[in-house]
Amino acid sequence: MIDALYAFGQGLLGPAWWSTLAWPVIWNLIKIVIVVIPLMGAVAYLTLWERKAIGFTQIRVGPNRIGPMGLLQTIADAQNLSRAEVHGVITYYHHFRAEPPGRHVIQICRAEACQAMGADALLVERENRVGGWCRSVVDHGFTFDHAGHIMFSSDPYVLALYDKLLGDNVHWQDREAWIYSKGVYTRYPFQGSLYGLPAQVLKECLIGAIEARFGPLKGDPSAVAGTSQPPANFEEFIHRVWGWGIAKHFAVPYKEKLWAVSMREMETAWLGGRVPLPDLEQMIEGALEPAPKPMGPNARFGYPLRGGFQALMDAFLPHLRCEVALNTRVVSVSPSKRTVRLDDGRTLRYDTLISTMALPQFVAACGEEAPDDVPAAARGLRSTSVRCVNLGIARANITDKHWIYYPEDTVFHRIFVQGNASPYCNAPGGFGLTCEITYSASKPLPCEGEALIARVIDDCRKVGMLREDDRILCAHQVDMPGAYVVYDHARAAHVACIRQWLARHRVILAGRYAEWEYYNSDHAFLAGKRAAEAALAQSGPRAGQAALAQAAGA
């Protein structure tokens, strides 16, 4: 059959040059095309299915979106072009769709990386897992979080989100939070649960609380009570609301141990319902008999049954419809050009940028584009860092408490009882503890490395958390630089200065560290929701807006 085809072609034209010169060349070209084209197609589509498989495992939808069933991917591969270049040529305009649109069309992304992934946004994460300081680590069968985390909220949206993300992988508990001072345990909050303290301490706490409301018991009763001016600082708030006794025996020493700054340097806007404020009758009742039940906003809390708090973070991933770039760091940001340069070499254009980077780091990334007052404001933002020493103990059920506050001379200010957050956080027959230590320039760590771990273990034995014969199965440290935002008196003005400049460049700040607010995790969820709504509102009717979400592990 091949010989017949060759003879047929040879006889198409009469001249000798056709049969002896031209036709043999054409025939060879035909054979090359017949062999090479199927081979190229096979390689291209094998590459496509490889990309599709990897895309599904990495939650990258791009290779399945470029053209019908992702088939246009092969054009990019064959020509050694990016998917964005091919997409731009074949579509020409930004409303092109390879499939019928859904009922609601959200027009967000036009950046090259987003086009290439067929996504509406790009999520950039500095670490190898999502979650920021809500990540978990596993050591010798124990699961530990980056400091203690729990789930609680009064917001219906957040509660519904918990249910959507975790389903049955969650359990709810009544809080067992306690304070260890004067050699005894009292329930949290201290001011509402004084029962069991030494008599002299109890007397001073009650007298201080009474005098804070009605004036001194001796002397002029109008000398103290009745001021209408708001507290000038956090220490004044403590004295005015709880009295000098509680300030002396718990509130001031614990808060200064936690924040690593003087309470006179802090204002009170951060409280926001975090600190329970029992009335005088509740305080007297809590001094005469044990507090019957927990009080405060997190009196009942939830926690993932399996997977640590990381399980809540990972549960977001199946709901994302964008590329997630892990192990990727932002090198620089140009608000004027609306570009972000990443450490993988990419420079991406954006129309709306959502940042969760710590605010001082984000301003530093903007370099010389920031006006002088903005870097000055960023330098004025203060924070306190946390070092966690995680211990896996070869003894089950060490305590029935969830966390304990230590206002006195232990190196740690709190122990989060990881083993009671969920039984699945423990290795078989073991029990996990997270000992939290704050530090700052004015309050450095007393020691480092193995010496710090030994100090923590020794203090755990001093307060009765561990026995002398307890065997340590694992011990490691987790460092959290800048973990607590310090609410000093200049914070609000500094944040407002930075926000005003960034808002002019379509940069939206979201989360504890970007907004420089003392957010719990539920506040962070709501901040993310507000940021998404703001990004969509900025896009408005304009087509093809770009949204780049940058998460720096905050």
Side-chain angles (χ1 to χ4, degrees), residues 52-376:
K52 289 168 73 71
I54 294 173
F56 280 118
T57 59
Q58 296 183 350
I59 319 175
R60 294 170 58 248
V61 297
N64 303 303
R65 288 237 186 124
I66 305 303
M69 299 179 64
L71 298 181
L72 298 180
Q73 168 67 54
T74 58
I75 299 177
D77 290 333
Q79 299 181 68
N80 196 28
L81 297 173
S82 73
R83 294 187 291 275
E85 291 172 308
V86 175
H87 183 80
V89 170
I90 64 172
T91 61
Y92 183 69
Y93 66 102
H94 301 294
H95 288 229
F96 171 82
R97 298 183 181 91
E99 298 174 357
R103 181 178 178 183
H104 303 287
V105 178
I106 301 174
Q107 298 169 333
I108 298 179
C109 183
R110 206 174 88 183
E112 175 171 329
C114 300
Q115 290 265 7
M117 298 309 300
D120 297 324
L122 172 66
L123 176 64
V124 181
E125 169 58 58
R126 182 182 65 185
E127 305 295 338
N128 60 2
R129 299 188 74 178
V130 297
W133 291 146
C134 291
R135 300 192 311 278
S136 302
V137 295
V138 177
D139 188 358
H140 287 73
F142 294 91
T143 299
F144 300 99
D145 298 327
H146 282 63
H149 294 289
I150 58 173
M151 296 160 45
F152 69 96
S153 183
S154 59
D155 188 276
Y157 171 82
V158 175
L159 294 174
L161 193 60
Y162 289 153
D163 184 61
K164 178 179 181 179
L165 295 175
L166 292 176
D168 294 335
N169 187 33
V170 64
H171 68 141
W172 296 87
Q173 308 177 66
D174 291 331
R175 184 196 69 214
E176 290 294 335
W178 293 75
I179 297 153
Y180 184 83
S181 65
K182 318 302 178 186
V184 298
Y185 285 102
T186 56
R187 271 195 184 275
Y188 173 85
F190 183 90
Q191 60 273 15
S193 309
L194 300 172
Y195 182 83
L197 290 168
Q200 183 62 29
V201 174
L202 193 60
K203 174 184 173 181
E204 292 179 1
C205 289
L206 288 177
I207 289 176
I210 292 170
E211 289 184 339
R213 286 156 177 77
F214 304 111
L217 298 181
K218 299 177 182 179
D220 182 5
S222 64
V224 176
T227 178
S228 60
Q229 295 297 319
N233 53 60
F234 191 29
E235 183 174 304
E236 187 175 310
F237 169 88
I238 292 169
H239 280 268
R240 190 182 298 182
V241 174
W242 296 322
W244 61 268
I246 291 172
K248 171 185 175 182
H249 292 292
F250 174 72
V252 170
Y254 178 75
K255 296 300 182 183
E256 290 191 345
K257 187 177 183 181
L258 168 67
W259 291 100
V261 299
S262 168
M263 294 299 95
R264 295 177 184 177
E265 298 178 43
M266 293 182 64
E267 46 99 351
T268 58
W270 62 275
L271 292 173
R274 288 182 177 83
V275 179
L277 301 175
D279 58 31
L280 186 58
E281 182 179 357
Q282 288 176 312
M283 292 178 68
I284 294 173
E285 288 178 353
L288 296 176
E289 59 185 7
K293 60 180 181 179
M295 65 178 71
N298 60 2
R300 186 165 177 80
F301 72 93
Y303 189 87
L305 197 59
R306 294 174 176 82
F309 214 72
Q310 180 78 53
L312 183 60
M313 302 299 103
D314 289 345
F316 280 97
L317 294 176
H319 300 281
L320 298 181
R321 294 295 180 265
C322 64
E323 178 188 2
V324 180
L326 300 176
N327 291 311
T328 304
R329 188 182 295 268
V330 169
V331 176
S332 62
V333 179
S334 173
S336 62
K337 298 177 181 178
R338 293 188 186 171
T339 60
V340 175
R341 185 162 64 89
L342 306 178
D343 65 355
D344 62 6
R346 289 183 290 174
T347 297
L348 308 176
R349 292 188 58 81
Y350 71 84
D351 188 58
T352 299
L353 175 65
I354 301 174
S355 174
T356 65
M357 284 179 72
L359 203 49
Q361 296 174 10
F362 187 86
V363 171
C366 294
E368 296 181 354
E369 288 196 20
D372 291 343
D373 59 335
V374 170

Side-chain angles (χ1 to χ4, degrees), residues 420-483:
N420 282 338
S422 167
Y424 294 98
C425 288
N426 295 319
F431 204 76
L433 303 174
T434 294
C435 304
E436 302 170 12
I437 310 163
T438 56
Y439 67 96
S440 66
S442 60
K443 180 202 167 190
L445 291 169
C447 49
E448 287 279 1
E450 293 300 320
L452 183 60
I453 292 175
R455 171 73 180 273
V456 166
I457 294 172
D458 186 54
D459 281 354
C460 283
R461 288 174 175 145
K462 287 179 180 178
V463 298
M465 181 59 69
L466 295 181
R467 301 190 306 227
E468 290 294 332
D469 62 345
D470 275 327
R471 186 162 53 93
I472 310 300
L473 297 178
C474 67
H476 67 263
Q477 300 181 44
V478 171
D479 195 39
M480 302 170 63

